């Protein structure tokens, strides 16, 4: 009987130690998660700062003069636009009068 | 004696042993029990401090293309404990050396109050400023981490964005209107604004100050298919990063919160109302040679016109005849004119999901004289935002839309109200095109972009009636005329030329609109329409290219 008591006590003690270690492990994991969350937050803040820097540096007010002065760029004038088919015509690749022959079995568009 | 005493000692000795065992056992039980409790449930007395609940990071604001307009960054607030500061002057001077905005005298006074243990020094410090303060090695200083709202574009769309205070609460503009949504954090709030178009509009308003002086200006660009506002500006601009620096003149958002009598840009609305009611056809002619008397008022035109005895509605719009507009208004009648202006949102405060907008000042009664003056834009004052939306039906085939400030523009959620037929819209746009080709709006021409529009010059009302020396000049445009996509409105308050005496809309607002459209149309994916030389074979078969002809092409 006495032996069973001792075995029981040891079992309870063992379980207590096991639970304690599990609790400690969980707390360590919580600490790691908290540290990682802090790291993520810091990284997010750094990303925010970098995005704000990018937006500040690329604002039209700054880029416009730089593009004009250093690259010689200007807003596109209407005469600089053309339709894709006009490029081929200007290059002389397609005669203006040329119209694609309808494929066999198809009727020309009316 | 000894034999009698020994059993007594044994008895007491056994009792002591039991007592000690019970005490030790009880102590062990308490220790084990407590250990188990701590191991399983944690120890309340030694539990780690919980971080206070973090305030959600205020959501960013971006434009329709995702360009950042407002964001929240980490910042630091610097406070001091005067009770532990030895030399307040030394600390104040040291801080001012790295924080130039500080008032050394005021700070020295506050830091000298030994009865206090807390004073704010400065809020919203950047990480670099915090590091600079650290390096000073001064006593009694503390930092508190917080968040600060930043607007990277400076004054870009400043009035629209508004600003949030140091506690992260939206105070004005979009920051205020969408405060609840922004305060929750999460995905950015995407506006309909296009940063490039917004910049072009603001640049042209700013550039106009080289040629004119004016008290204020407003400009708006709207996508006619959805009502999405692509740019909205009020001059003088404000920088939301420094809301405290705003002057009273700049604080007012003239695009939404000011109302103006806008003058002749109402004439196309009068014409549209009359055509839609069946009271006018484009072929009808009017004699605008002489002033017209309505009640006790004599309404006249600024200049005589050629062929003034047979003016069509196109001529009335193109050359801006008040006398002609009044005659059309008289055909239409006050009730129908009022009903039409109501249908295009000019008689009520607009209701939409966006910044607040001023209520219009409308006539108390719609008698014939009132209708006559309203027909050419006097006697009614509305905000530029309300007015620009009244031109949207011209550009989209007849549907009135509410202005839209937040993406995505869900086509199913857009409320359309048919206010005129596509034919009427097309007819009036064609009339307004003549204004730019041959009439008062020539300076609004942007080659290739087929600007159609109307000038408006209205004397400003004052306590003693209308002031002939101060006016509001405006130009409302639709472009491109052959396939309208956008509506633009520019309004200048009391524009005065720096040289010469040309201060009507034909010389002020119209030229701004023309330059703006030429610059912004490519950003809005509007391709120009040009007269392209095209080789056209008109000779005998087999001999192409013997002559060239011009052909209008949409590029």
């Amino acid at each position: 009987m006495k032996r069973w008591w001792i075995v029981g006590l040891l079992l309870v003690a063992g379980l207590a130690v096991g639970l304690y270690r599990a609790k400690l492990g969980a707390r360590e994991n919580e600490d790691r998660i908290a540290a990682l969350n802090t790291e993520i937050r810091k990284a997010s803040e750094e990303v925010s700062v970098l995005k704000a820097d990018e937006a500040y540096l690329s604002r039209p007010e700054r880029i416009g003069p730089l593009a004009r002065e250093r690259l010689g760029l200007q807003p596109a004038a209407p005469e600089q636009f053309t339709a894709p088919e006009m490029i081929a015509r200007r290059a002389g690749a397609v005669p203006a009068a040329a119209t694609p022959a309808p494929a066999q079995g198809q009727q020309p568009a009316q | 004696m000894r034999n009698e005493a020994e059993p007594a000692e044994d008895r007491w000795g056994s009792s002591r042993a039991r007592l000690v065992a019970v005490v030790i056992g009880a102590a062990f039980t308490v220790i084990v029990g407590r250990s188990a409790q701590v191991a399983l449930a944690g120890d309340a007395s030694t539990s780690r401090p919980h971080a206070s609940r973090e305030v959600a990071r205020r959501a960013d604001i971006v434009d329709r293309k995702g360009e950042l307009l407002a964001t929240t960054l980490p910042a630091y607030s610097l406070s001091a404990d005067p009770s532990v500061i030895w030399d307040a002057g030394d600390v104040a001077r040291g801080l001012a050396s790295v924080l130039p905005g500080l008032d050394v005298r005021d700070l020295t006074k506050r830091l000298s109050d030994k009865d206090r243990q807390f004073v704010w020094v400065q809020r919203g410090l950047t990480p670099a400023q915090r590091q600079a303060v650290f390096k000073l090695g001064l006593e009694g200083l503390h930092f508190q981490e917080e968040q600060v709202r930043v607007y990277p574009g400076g004054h870009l769309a400043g009035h629209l964005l508004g600003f949030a205070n140091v506690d992260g609460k939206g105070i004005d503009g979009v920051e205020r209107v969408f405060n609840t949504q922004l305060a929750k954090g999460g995905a950015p709030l995407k506006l309909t604004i296009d940063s490039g178009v917004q910049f072009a509009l603001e640049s042209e308003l700013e550039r106009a100050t080289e040629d004119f002086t004016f008290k204020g200006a407003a400009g708006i660009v709207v996508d006619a298919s959805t009502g999405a506002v692509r740019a909205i500006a009020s001059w003088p601009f404000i920088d939301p990063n420094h809301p405290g620096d705003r002057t009273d003149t700049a604080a007012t958002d003239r695009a939404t919160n000011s109302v103006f009598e806008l003058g002749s840009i109402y004439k196309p609305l009068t014409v549209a109302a009359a055509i839609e009611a069946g009271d006018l056809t484009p072929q009808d002619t009017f004699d605008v040679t002489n002033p017209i008397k309505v009640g006790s008022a004599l309404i006249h035109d600024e200049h005589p016109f050629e062929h003034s005895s047979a003016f069509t509605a196109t001529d009335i719009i193109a050359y801006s005849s008040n006398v002609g507009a009044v005659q059309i208004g008289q055909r239409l009648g006050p009730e129908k004119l009022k009903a039409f202006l109501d249908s295009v949102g000019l008689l009520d405060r607009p209701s939409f999901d966006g910044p607040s907008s001023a209520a219009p000042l409308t006539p108390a009664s719609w008698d014939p004289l009132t209708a006559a003056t309203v027909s050419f834009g006097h006697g009614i004052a509305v905000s530029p935002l309300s007015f620009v939306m009244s031109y949207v039906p011209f550009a989209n085939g007849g549907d009135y839309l509410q202005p839209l400030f937040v993406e995505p523009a869900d086509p199913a959620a857009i409320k359309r109200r048919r206010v005129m037929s596509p034919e009427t819209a097309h007819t009036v746009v064609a009339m307004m095109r003549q204004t730019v080709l041959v009439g008062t709006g020539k300076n609004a021409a942007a080659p290739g972009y087929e600007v159609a529009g109307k000038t408006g010059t209205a004397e400003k009302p004052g306590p003693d009636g209308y002031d002939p020396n101060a006016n509001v000049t405006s130009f409302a445009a639709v472009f491109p005329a052959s396939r309208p996509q956008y509506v633009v409105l520019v309004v200048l308050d009391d524009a005065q030329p720096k040289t010469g005496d040309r201060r009507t809309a034909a010389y002020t607002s119209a030229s701004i609109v023309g330059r703006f459209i030429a610059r912004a149309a490519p950003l809005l994916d509007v391709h120009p329409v040009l007269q392209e030389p095209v080789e056209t074979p008109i000779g005998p078969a087999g001999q192409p290219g013997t002559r060239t002809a011009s052909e209008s092409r949409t590029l």
Side-chain angles (χ1 to χ4, degrees), chain B residues 261 263-264 266-271 273-274 279 292-297 299 321-341 347 361-380 466:
Chain B
E261 286 194 20
S264 297
Y266 276 77
K267 286 171 184 164
L269 296 172
T270 304
V271 169
D279 293 326
I292 186 168
K293 192 167 186 181
V294 181
S296 59
I299 295 165
S321 167
N322 294 341
V323 174
V326 168
Q327 292 179 56
I328 294 174
Q330 286 177 329
R331 274 196 190 183
L332 185 62
E335 289 307 316
K336 282 191 274 188
L337 179 60
K338 179 186 177 187
F340 185 83
L341 296 182
L347 302 186
L361 298 176
T362 57
S365 67
W366 286 76
D367 54 39
L369 176 59
T370 301
T373 57
V374 169
S375 67
F376 59 92
H378 282 69
I380 181 171
Y466 286 97

Side-chain angles (χ1 to χ4, degrees), chain B residues 158-300:
Chain B
H159 284 93
L160 175 67
L161 293 174
F163 62 94
N165 65 10
V166 289
D167 296 319
K169 184 182 176 188
I171 299 298
D172 204 2
V174 165
E175 291 276 27
R176 183 183 63 78
V177 175
F178 297 99
N179 183 58
T180 307
Q181 181 182 340
L182 292 167
K184 287 179 185 169
L189 177 70
K190 185 177 260 193
L191 300 183
T192 56
I193 294 298
D194 182 309
S195 290
V197 179
Q198 179 74 28
F199 177 70
L201 181 63
E202 292 187 10
S203 297
E204 291 304 332
L205 291 180
E206 186 69 37
R207 181 176 160 181
T209 61
E210 295 172 10
D211 301 325
F212 308 97
T213 62
F214 41 84
K215 289 181 178 171
I220 307 175
V221 184
V222 178
D223 182 337
S225 62
T226 61
V229 177
R230 295 293 178 225
I232 182 165
S234 175
W235 186 95
F237 308 125
I238 60 166
D239 184 348
N241 292 300
H242 308 288
D245 295 347
R246 297 180 302 171
T247 60
D248 288 343
T249 311
T252 305
D253 183 352
R254 288 172 170 76
T256 61
N257 279 327
S258 293
V259 294
F260 300 98
E261 286 194 20
L262 294 169
S264 297
I265 55 176
Y266 276 77
K267 286 171 184 164
L269 296 172
T270 304
V271 169
I275 294 175
E276 196 62 19
D279 293 326
L280 177 71
T281 69
Q283 291 74 37
D284 291 349
T285 57
F286 301 84
D287 186 349
V288 300
T289 311
N290 300 310
I292 186 168
K293 192 167 186 181
V294 181
S296 59
L298 191 66
I299 295 165
H300 58 85

Side-chain angles (χ1 to χ4, degrees), chain A residues 26-102:
Chain A
R27 183 173 291 180
E28 284 171 356
N29 282 336
E30 276 181 10
D31 289 345
R32 275 189 61 204
I33 290 169
L36 285 171
N37 280 336
T38 303
E39 217 171 294
I40 290 168
R41 187 174 62 85
K42 294 273 183 197
S44 298
E45 286 176 356
E46 282 174 23
V47 169
S48 299
V49 172
L50 290 172
K51 280 185 176 174
D53 275 344
E54 182 197 9
Y56 178 73
L57 293 173
S58 61
R59 64 195 193 282
E61 188 180 358
R62 175 175 177 273
I63 292 294
L66 285 176
R68 262 195 315 274
E69 291 161 16
R70 301 194 182 182
L71 301 175
L73 295 177
Q74 288 182 345
E79 52 278 9
Q80 291 175 284
F81 286 80
T82 191
E85 65 269 23
M86 296 302 294
I87 296 172
R89 288 185 182 178
R90 285 182 176 183
V94 181
T99 51

Side-chain angles (χ1 to χ4, degrees), chain A residues 19-20 23 27 30-31 41 45 48-49 51-52 55-56 59-61 76 78-79 81-83 86 89-90 96-97, chain B residues 39-42 48 54 57 68 71-74 145 152-153 155 199 447 449 522 528 530 532 534-535 537 553 555:
Chain A
L19 277 170
Y20 178 73
K23 177 92 177 171
R27 183 173 291 180
E30 276 181 10
D31 289 345
R41 187 174 62 85
E45 286 176 356
S48 299
V49 172
K51 280 185 176 174
Y56 178 73
R59 64 195 193 282
E61 188 180 358
E79 52 278 9
F81 286 80
T82 191
M86 296 302 294
R89 288 185 182 178
R90 285 182 176 183
Chain B
L40 296 175
R48 296 171 302 161
E54 281 188 26
R57 180 179 172 277
L68 196 62
T71 189
T72 298
L73 298 180
E145 194 171 335
H155 65 65
F199 177 70
Y449 296 112
L530 293 176
E532 282 282 334
V534 178
E535 288 191 354
R553 289 191 177 279
L555 303 176

